[in-house]
Amino acid sequence: MDVLSHYSSPVVEFPATQPLEKQYALVDNCTGTDPPPPSKDAGTGTQEKQNMATQTEQRVSSGKDVEYDERALAKFLRQICPMVERELMQPTPLMEEQAVSQCRLEEELQVFTYQKLEMGGVENSQGLAIWLSVHTNNAPVLVATTVAPHDDWCEHVDQQLKLFVPQRMSHRNLVIYTEAKTLPLKSCLKSLCTNPFNKNMFSGSTMDGELFIWLYEHSRSGSDASVDIKQLYSVSSTQGAAVALDWPREHLLMACYANGSVRQWDLSRQMSLDWEYSLPASVTSEPSAMVALGLEDFVLGTNDGGVYRCWSTGRQVAATKQIQLLALRRHRFMVSTLLRTEMEGNPFVLSCDLSGQAFYHDMRQSEEDMAQLIVQIPLPFKNVIACSRDGNIIYCPASDGALEYYRVSDGAHAHVKGGLRGKGSHIRSSDNGCWIITGLYGDEFQIFYVEH
């Protein structure tokens, strides 16, 4: 065993961190069985326990230091208890009940994928399509076009407007849509609208600010039939492209522009400007949708979710209209759809925003928007919709060519599978409610048939 030698080492001094004149009680650091004396380090803070899954904090506090406002608590309970009772009286349907309602809706209102239409447009294009008059077997004529992607202005001078006519199949009681006419366009279309008073007439607004009025013509001589699209009128506008078009009368066309201007054109003799109206300064957002209710009576939707009813109390000769404005219930996001409809014989306007929230505005209320029905379409978000003639069924395009539809009266939801790729941003339902077109999926539209 080695012998340890004793030697002196240099002293290393550690200066005191506390004043030397203070007295401290020394504690024996030998191991003992007595509990340590209570101590609290004022310089050490405690860390609150956090739940990483829910990002909540758990706090432990003593009841001695907490004071409650009994009056505020009683007021809160008086407000919340009636709502809780109403929820308990009308509970959310169970999954089994929802499945039963879905099966019942699919049985009562059968929707089938019918036909795909290939357009031959530019990659990443969107689509516009409208239904015209009925041609055969309760099937209407269809007009469709593609809208290429844009940065600032349109440079697509070789666009086309295509006319699809339903042809009856000889061996089956079905029709097939075939391309019958192609009309060249010098610019992409921003909007398309059918004249509801004459479904052979329709209008369109191009990106470069031109308004067109077309007429679908169908003639039959013997066993041969011919179709054509005739241009009736065109006019250039310095307002730019019209974001929305509608027809208050057969020979009156209403156009809404992004700068807040609304113009009405008279087509009784030549296409001439009838009147013009500009939104007041209180409306700070651009219009995004419009629907006409009658002469000098229309509803506007804006990019910030506003919905406004505009009307004139009397016939005015001046070219600049003085129109009253009534703000209806607002959406949280841009209004993408405005539709005229009827519920139990009463006029309503159905509005929808980009989140899928839909409002039914009662047009009988002339002073304030009181009687309403609010419908929140289930996720994922659906940004455009169509509806049945009675307003009870809402249709919206889903991903990959699918279609979803909802019954407002009982909340039933049904789904039709598709076979395309992409997400549709356009939907139109025919006036008879039997045909629906959605798109654009890649380069194709999807036609659905509704069997009532």
Side-chain angles (χ1 to χ4, degrees):
M1 182 176 180
D2 297 335
V3 180
L4 299 178
S5 62
H6 295 272
Y7 64 95
S8 62
S9 59
V11 177
V12 179
E13 180 183 4
F14 294 91
T17 58
Q18 301 290 339
L20 296 177
E21 60 271 11
K22 287 190 175 181
Q23 300 291 329
Y24 291 91
L26 299 179
V27 180
D28 188 3
N29 58 359
C30 297
T31 303
T33 58
D34 296 332
S39 63
K40 182 178 180 181
D41 190 353
T44 304
T46 59
Q47 185 175 3
E48 297 166 346
K49 184 178 180 182
Q50 296 185 354
N51 189 333
M52 299 301 293
T54 59
Q55 297 181 354
T56 58
E57 297 179 355
Q58 297 179 356
R59 298 180 182 266
V60 179
S61 59
S62 175
K64 298 179 180 179
D65 301 331
V66 180
E67 296 182 359
Y68 297 97
D69 189 343
E70 295 183 357
R71 293 183 179 180
L73 179 60
K75 182 180 179 181
F76 171 75
L77 292 176
R78 286 196 301 269
Q79 293 176 347
I80 199 68
C81 285
M83 291 187 287
V84 174
E85 292 178 358
R86 286 196 297 269
E87 288 292 336
L88 294 176
M89 294 297 294
Q90 299 179 355
T92 303
L94 300 176
M95 296 301 295
E96 293 80 3
E97 296 177 359
Q98 293 179 352
V100 171
S101 63
Q102 177 177 347
C103 295
R104 188 182 301 115
L105 176 59
E106 292 178 349
E107 293 175 357
E108 296 174 357
L109 186 66
Q110 297 183 357
V111 183
F112 307 94
T113 55
Y114 194 82
Q115 185 181 345
K116 303 171 187 176
L117 299 178
E118 187 173 351
M119 296 298 295
V122 181
E123 186 178 0
N124 297 325
S125 294
Q126 295 185 346
L128 290 175
I130 54 174
W131 300 99
L132 302 183
S133 59
V134 171
H135 183 77
T136 182
N137 277 33
N138 209 26
V141 177
L142 176 67
V143 173
T145 186
T146 60
V147 181
H150 294 86
D151 293 328
D152 295 323
W153 57 85
C154 182
E155 298 178 350
H156 310 99
V157 296
D158 54 353
Q159 291 298 101
Q160 294 179 336
L161 185 67
K162 295 188 176 184
L163 175 70
F164 294 92
V165 177
Q167 302 292 337
R168 186 181 304 174
M169 301 177 65
S170 58
H171 56 284
R172 299 178 65 183
N173 189 26
L174 297 174
V175 296
I176 183 171
Y177 279 87
T178 58
E179 183 179 328
K181 182 75 175 180
T182 299
L183 188 68
L185 298 172
K186 296 181 180 180
S187 176
C188 292
L189 287 175
K190 178 68 174 179
S191 54
L192 270 175
C193 183
T194 305
N195 188 337
F197 305 96
N198 179 6
K199 294 185 179 62
N200 290 328
M201 186 182 297
F202 61 102
S203 58
S205 174
T206 61
M207 294 290 185
D208 58 4
E210 281 196 276
L211 276 176
F212 289 93
I213 311 297
W214 292 292
L215 181 67
Y216 162 69
E217 294 181 328
H218 173 250
S219 60
R220 182 182 299 274
S221 58
S223 59
D224 297 331
S226 62
V227 296
D228 194 11
I229 298 179
K230 180 182 178 182
Q231 179 179 316
L232 297 180
Y233 305 105
S234 69
V235 63
S236 297
S237 173
T238 59
Q239 307 288 336
V243 297
L245 301 170
D246 206 355
W247 298 79
R249 290 291 186 269
E250 181 177 356
H251 296 290
L252 294 177
L253 174 64
M254 194 177 294
C256 177
Y257 298 89
N259 63 356
S261 174
V262 179
R263 290 184 167 189
Q264 181 168 289
W265 300 88
D266 189 351
L267 281 63
S268 57
R269 296 182 180 178
Q270 293 292 328
M271 191 171 182
S272 58
L273 182 62
D274 188 20
W275 54 261
E276 182 177 5
Y277 166 70
S278 296
L279 289 175
S282 58
V283 181
T284 59
S285 185
E286 296 180 358
S288 58
M290 180 191 67
V291 61
L293 303 179
L295 283 174
E296 303 170 2
D297 188 3
F298 54 95
V299 176
L300 286 177
T302 61
N303 285 341
D304 63 352
V307 182
Y308 304 92
R309 185 175 184 182
C310 312
W311 76 96
S312 176
T313 55
R315 184 67 179 175
Q316 301 170 10
V317 181
T320 302
K321 282 292 176 184
Q322 300 295 325
I323 291 182
Q324 299 187 35
L325 195 73
L326 173 66
L328 306 183
R329 181 183 290 269
R330 292 182 61 88
H331 288 272
R332 292 175 294 174
F333 302 97
M334 185 188 82
V335 178
S336 59
T337 306
L338 287 174
L339 299 171
R340 283 185 306 268
T341 186
E342 289 187 359
M343 301 187 71
E344 299 179 354
N346 299 316
F348 278 77
V349 168
L350 173 58
S351 63
C352 179
D353 67 3
L354 293 180
S355 71
Q357 188 179 54
F359 294 158
Y360 285 81
H361 305 271
D362 191 347
M363 292 295 101
R364 294 173 298 174
Q365 305 295 334
S366 58
E367 295 184 356
E368 57 180 332
D369 195 18
M370 297 175 57
Q372 293 186 70
L373 176 64
I374 301 175
V375 179
Q376 182 69 51
I377 299 177
L379 299 177
F381 290 167
K382 305 298 185 298
N383 52 12
V384 288
I385 62 173
C387 71
S388 58
R389 298 188 67 177
D390 61 356
N392 192 31
I393 305 295
I394 293 179
Y395 303 95
C396 53
S399 299
D400 301 332
L403 181 74
E404 296 187 11
Y405 55 106
Y406 310 83
R407 186 160 53 196
V408 178
S409 58
D410 59 359
H413 166 222
H415 180 85
V416 182
K417 293 183 178 180
L420 300 174
R421 304 292 293 273
K423 183 179 180 180
S425 59
H426 182 81
I427 183 171
R428 282 292 184 274
S429 176
S430 63
D431 190 59
N432 56 21
C434 297
W435 302 88
I436 296 173
I437 186 168
T438 63
L440 198 62
Y441 301 96
D443 190 44
E444 294 179 303
F445 281 101
Q446 176 67 65
I447 298 178
F448 296 89
Y449 177 70
V450 182
E451 187 173 302
H452 297 278

